[in-house]
Amino acid sequence: MSQTLFDLSGRTALVTGSTRGLGRAIAEGLAAAGAAVVLNGTGGERLATAAAEMRAKGYAVREAAFDVTDEAAVTEAFARLDEAGVVVDILVNNAGMQLRKPMVELSTPEWQKVIDTNLTSAFVIGREAARRMIPRGRGKIINIGSLTSELARATVAPYTVAKGGIKMLTRAMAAEWAADGIQANAIGPGYMLTDMNKPLIENPAFDAWVKGRTPSRRWGKPEELIGTAVFLASAASDYVNGQIIYVDGGMLAVL
Ligand code: GCO
């Protein structure tokens, strides 16, 4: 029973920003649970290498090179998947970026870029996916939130605003698409060991703060998101909708 509930065989998952970091870990986790995976990056060597590494592990992998902030490129990528007969059953809106700067020094284009990358892309790609999921009467959308979906941190204002938006976009998706058999949920990772967080990990004061502030007393590993991702991608979560599940070592639960 539990094996069938979490089995992703026969399903295809598109994971944005999946050449490295959290997206890569989630893509590998979904593949290990049986899904075929469409990896995404802006192209070039990193995407080809990630795909080759996953194929070497025996996983079914397709590459979709597109910039998540380029709407025309997104539409084209979906058209190419349609032509190839690839049905996206599971969408993970993971692609994201960080820009750490005090707000008084932040330019409007910088603000916009962070919002476009972390929030608007999830709407645009989610809409393309949902347009195809709705007629089929099923689909899974997993958005990647953050602790900053709930709490602010100085120097990351646009990221915080985007991730707060991700929480509400997830609810908006559930509100509009749940009746069509789509489950839209989010994962809120805590402080994770990723390239994006390298400057924080390498900063002794920040590292000490994370370890002191997190009840688990450590940073999270990207692969620690897999269980929640598989749950939200599988039949096990068919009546779970509009939720954000924090995988944060307990951080949001305590002061
Ligand atoms: C930061 C980090 C964030 C956090 C994440 C925690 O600057 O605060 O880059 O990305 O790791 O938001 O959920």
Side-chain angles (χ1 to χ4, degrees), residues 98 100 146-148 153 156 159 189-191 196-197 200:
Q98 183 58 286
R100 301 178 183 99
S146 156
L147 295 174
T148 61
R153 186 173 90 71
V156 296
Y159 183 86
Y191 279 94
M196 191 179 92
N197 284 337
L200 304 181

Side-chain angles (χ1 to χ4, degrees), residues 19 109-110 133 153 164 185 187 198 222 236 246:
T19 59
E110 285 173 329
M133 289 172 174
R153 186 173 90 71
N185 291 288
I187 301 175
K198 210 160 175 263
Y246 292 97

Side-chain angles (χ1 to χ4, degrees), residues 178-199:
D180 295 298
I182 296 172
Q183 289 82 52
N185 291 288
I187 301 175
Y191 279 94
M192 310 298 283
L193 295 166
T194 60
D195 287 350
M196 191 179 92
N197 284 337
K198 210 160 175 263

